[in-house]
Amino acid sequence: MTSQPTLTKPEEGPAGPSGPGSGLQAGLKNRHLSMIAIGGVIGAGLFVGSSSGIATAGPGILLSYALVGTLVVLVMRMLGEMSAANPTSGSFSAHADRALGPWAGFSIGWLYWFFWVVVLAVEATAGAKILEGWIPAVPQWGWALIVMVVLTATNLASVGSYGEFEFWFAGIKVVAIAAFIVVGGLAVFGVLPGVDSDQAGLGNLTGHGGFLPHGAGAVLTGVLLVVFSFMGSEIPTLAAGESEDPQRAVTKATNSIIWRIAVFYLGSIFVVVALLPWDSQSIVDQGSYVAALDSLGIPNAGEIMNFIVLTSVLSCLNSGLYTASRMAFSLGQRGDAPKAFARTTRRGVPQTAILSSVVFGFVAVFFNYKFPDTVFLFLLNSSGAVALFVWLAICFSQLRLRKIIQAETPEKLVVRMWLYPYLTWAAAAVIVFVLGYMLTDTEHDGRSTVLLSLLVAALVVAVALVKQRITATRKTDAAKG
């Protein structure tokens, strides 16, 4: 078991308390953390990927989102308990290191980093497609390059510049989806003029084959389709360490997760399936949110949604690069990555960790354009189940760390997991069930995603165990010498 350093203002790094390498600094303001927490649960996947879920489960997709949302709330509560007691840039990776052993922290940290550098390529390509549609003179790969360079510069400047960028772009997402819910809700209840009342209404929830047109099993299939759109909820616990009051920031983010998921996910999806019949062809052709806006008679609905999706993509890219670099920094700090990753500039920026993450992101972008159906598809599928692995690691870490914190520093338990340990075990069981159910899913690549992700995870764990054994042998030899 290794103890994890708590970030200070500034945090002392490998080179001491001053000068280059002085550690991460508290450059995030409370308003930054608040918007990062709110915007973190609104990914581009919500806007882009919800149409396939609706087609699969019909209005019952609401149950799919509710089930996954409940799971995320429980996992975030566990993570909030550990992070409020010990805010650190490594978050759940550092907690797994302390609770389960260095092999666990190493494995989950590198898998999470791998997930986000692949996401960088996905989001950069998605943003480039939208920008190329607006300005076709610049090729798609050129836009991807521009987007990556701009966001790299933002992250290299300071943590405050990352926070400011995320504040405004996450703010656009929040305002847009809130407006969508309000306007759409008025239309559903028949108080918005100019809307076809025969099409919009609560009757869409039970008409066209019923609430579960494809049966109850489709709800579980819907879970597989929506579960990955929730990845990013954990970002505030990584960012909190660079805030003015880490414990308060973690506590606030944890306590607000319920209403954030209820409003932005369940609220917006409810509006979509109430505005239009779930089997409407426009949902398939245009996407769920564009089709819903079109049904309201809002002109240029497609371009409006493209702008919102673009801001979501840029926000996700910004946070993805930040998150990957902070995880790399934490791994370097614990000796699980090159020491250079743990060095920071005078502004408290882990420059090497950022640039290394960007390089792998660029490589993934190249694979996306050059080998989309082979190499990049492998990267995508082999990182796809990482979210579930992370959540499972959080469950087992919390089971162990609760006892440690209670024994050593009980006053730090300012956030407590409900009904411990029963709800923790229940959440872990649900995650294992979802992974098992994915193995039966051949239609949506669930089986290949789990198998490839397990393969990569097994390789990373093997490296971690070998490294742990070598470290233990060296310590033994040093003690004898």
Side-chain angles (χ1 to χ4, degrees):
M1 184 191 310
T2 59
S3 60
Q4 301 306 319
T6 300
L7 299 187
T8 58
K9 298 184 282 183
E11 176 192 21
E12 292 190 11
S18 62
S22 60
L24 303 179
Q25 297 179 9
L28 293 176
K29 300 176 181 177
N30 288 333
R31 65 182 177 88
H32 293 155
L33 260 296
S34 296
M35 195 55 72
I36 289 170
I38 295 172
V41 297
I42 310 173
L46 174 63
F47 299 111
V48 179
S50 56
S51 56
S52 59
I54 293 172
T56 298
I61 195 66
L62 285 167
L63 296 180
S64 302
Y65 274 102
L67 287 171
V68 180
T70 300
L71 179 60
V72 172
V73 167
L74 295 178
V75 171
M76 278 298 295
R77 188 74 185 182
M78 299 175 219
L79 183 56
E81 176 182 291
M82 296 183 290
S83 296
N86 182 24
T88 173
S89 60
S91 188
F92 46 83
S93 172
H95 303 323
D97 188 307
R98 185 181 180 193
L100 307 176
W103 69 270
F106 177 100
S107 302
I108 209 66
W110 277 114
L111 286 172
Y112 189 70
W113 178 88
F114 174 54
F115 170 85
W116 278 111
V117 293
V118 174
V119 167
L120 290 180
V122 174
E123 300 295 345
T125 304
K129 286 180 180 178
I130 296 173
L131 289 167
E132 185 191 30
W134 291 343
I135 309 177
V138 179
Q140 195 176 116
W141 66 265
W143 280 119
L145 179 65
I146 291 170
V147 166
M148 291 280 277
V149 169
V150 169
L151 293 178
T152 300
T154 300
N155 275 265
L156 285 173
S158 68
V159 67
S161 63
Y162 154 72
E164 198 64 29
F165 184 100
E166 191 61 17
F167 175 81
W168 290 105
F169 276 80
I172 292 173
K173 288 192 296 185
V174 171
V175 170
I177 201 165
F180 174 82
I181 292 171
V182 171
V183 174
L186 292 175
V188 168
F189 292 102
V191 292
L192 188 70
V195 175
D196 184 358
S197 59
D198 293 335
Q199 188 176 39
L202 297 179
N204 286 326
L205 299 177
T206 53
H208 305 271
F211 185 71
L212 297 172
H214 295 147
V219 173
L220 291 178
T221 305
V223 166
L224 306 185
L225 296 175
V226 306
V227 66
F228 304 110
S229 66
F230 284 83
M231 196 66 166
S233 303
E234 71 290 336
I235 291 176
T237 65
L238 285 96
E242 293 176 83
S243 67
E244 299 163 351
D245 188 349
Q247 190 178 76
R248 179 178 177 273
V250 169
T251 302
K252 187 175 180 180
T254 302
N255 291 336
S256 64
I257 187 69
I258 296 176
W259 73 260
R260 286 186 277 134
I261 288 177
V263 171
F264 296 120
Y265 276 88
L266 293 179
S268 64
I269 294 297
F270 166 80
V271 168
V272 170
V273 294
L275 281 176
L276 289 168
W278 69 270
D279 54 357
S280 172
Q281 188 60 36
S282 61
I283 292 180
V284 177
D285 295 339
Q286 300 173 283
S288 52
Y289 286 82
V290 173
L293 286 176
D294 258 346
S295 74
L296 298 177
I298 295 177
N300 302 313
E303 290 306 311
I304 292 173
M305 188 51 60
N306 274 338
F307 174 74
I308 296 170
V309 171
L310 179 62
T311 60
S312 296
V313 164
L314 294 177
S315 172
C316 188
L317 265 172
N318 192 40
S319 289
L321 181 53
Y322 170 84
T323 304
S325 65
R326 267 42 177 195
M327 185 58 72
F329 170 85
S330 178
L331 289 166
Q333 204 175 41
R334 288 177 273 144
D336 291 336
K339 290 182 179 179
F341 283 15
R343 297 196 189 107
T344 58
T345 65
R346 293 183 183 276
R347 297 185 302 276
V349 174
Q351 182 173 290
T352 304
I354 291 174
L355 293 176
S356 300
S357 301
V358 169
V359 166
F360 278 90
F362 275 127
V363 170
V365 169
F366 170 76
F367 285 144
N368 195 6
Y369 284 109
K370 194 69 176 176
F371 312 105
D373 299 322
T374 53
V375 180
F376 187 73
L377 186 62
F378 169 80
L379 292 176
L380 203 59
N381 285 338
S382 61
S383 65
V386 166
L388 294 169
F389 296 163
V390 167
W391 295 349
L392 201 56
I394 289 171
C395 292
F396 290 128
S397 298
Q398 191 265 340
L399 285 169
R400 174 75 176 130
L401 269 187
R402 164 65 79 90
K403 297 176 182 177
I404 296 174
I405 298 170
Q406 280 182 324
E408 297 177 358
T409 53
E411 71 279 0
K412 290 187 176 182
L413 277 173
V414 293
V415 176
R416 290 175 179 264
M417 177 58 184
W418 306 298
L419 296 177
Y420 168 84
Y422 308 109
L423 276 183
T424 301
W425 280 112
V430 170
I431 295 169
V432 171
F433 172 79
V434 171
L435 285 168
Y437 190 76
M438 286 180 71
L439 290 172
T440 69
D441 176 44
T442 55
E443 184 180 353
H444 303 99
D445 292 330
R447 177 181 294 175
S448 60
T449 295
V450 172
L451 291 177
L452 288 175
S453 295
L454 284 173
L455 173 63
V456 171
L459 291 173
V460 173
V461 170
V463 171
L465 291 174
V466 170
K467 177 184 177 297
Q468 185 172 313
R469 180 149 191 174
I470 292 173
T471 302
T473 301
R474 285 177 178 172
K475 287 182 178 178
T476 302
D477 293 343
K480 290 180 179 177

